[in-house]
Amino acid sequence: MITLYGIKNCDTVKKARKWLEQNDVAYTFHDFRENGMESVPLAQWLEASGWEQVLNRRSTSWRALSDEQKNTMDNSSALTLATETPTLIKRPVMTRGSETLFGFKADLYADFVR
């Protein structure tokens, strides 16, 4: 079962959802804001991929962090900050079992859902 995580009004998440629907891929959508962060496997993502892959360092939320927070970032602090501010997470996140894909690129999605 594929789960897509993100925020429903995010343009990249909208593109990913549209691609999944156009390609008849069944998925469940988890909105970080509406559904909360309690059931999001954020710690697993950080452990498997590292904070550099999980956090969106181009986001407004990242730019709002202090230089000290950015310079001392590690998986532990990323877990705390992203749980409090889910907009720090690179979106969308697509999972299937233990496989995880961050962001949206149609060619990567095509390979992932096969």
Side-chain angles (χ1 to χ4, degrees):
M1 178 63 165
I2 290 176
T3 302
L4 190 73
Y5 295 87
I7 297 169
K8 70 179 175 185
N9 62 349
C10 170
D11 288 340
T12 309
V13 170
K14 288 178 185 177
K15 288 178 192 175
R17 293 183 77 179
K18 183 176 180 180
W19 187 94
L20 290 167
E21 289 160 11
Q22 288 176 337
N23 288 277
D24 296 319
V25 177
Y27 71 96
T28 301
F29 181 65
H30 181 102
D31 188 301
F32 293 139
R33 289 183 176 151
E34 290 183 11
N35 304 115
M37 294 297 292
E38 296 79 25
S39 64
V40 175
L42 183 56
Q44 292 172 357
W45 298 344
L46 288 163
E47 184 178 324
S49 302
W51 72 267
E52 297 90 344
Q53 274 293 108
V54 176
L55 299 187
N56 181 359
R57 291 179 278 170
R58 295 182 191 162
S59 72
T60 304
S61 299
W62 175 264
R63 290 191 299 269
L65 298 176
S66 70
D67 287 340
E68 181 180 350
Q69 287 173 307
K70 293 176 193 174
N71 294 332
T72 60
M73 187 65 63
D74 60 16
N75 284 354
S76 177
S77 57
L79 178 62
T80 301
L81 288 169
T83 299
E84 295 168 358
T85 310
T87 53
L88 279 168
I89 301 169
K90 191 179 293 182
R91 299 179 303 271
V93 181
M94 184 164 55
T95 63
R96 181 182 59 208
S98 62
E99 297 176 282
T100 306
L101 187 63
F102 298 93
F104 172 69
K105 290 186 180 172
D107 56 337
L108 295 177
Y109 268 46
D111 290 340
F112 191 87
V113 299
R114 286 186 189 156

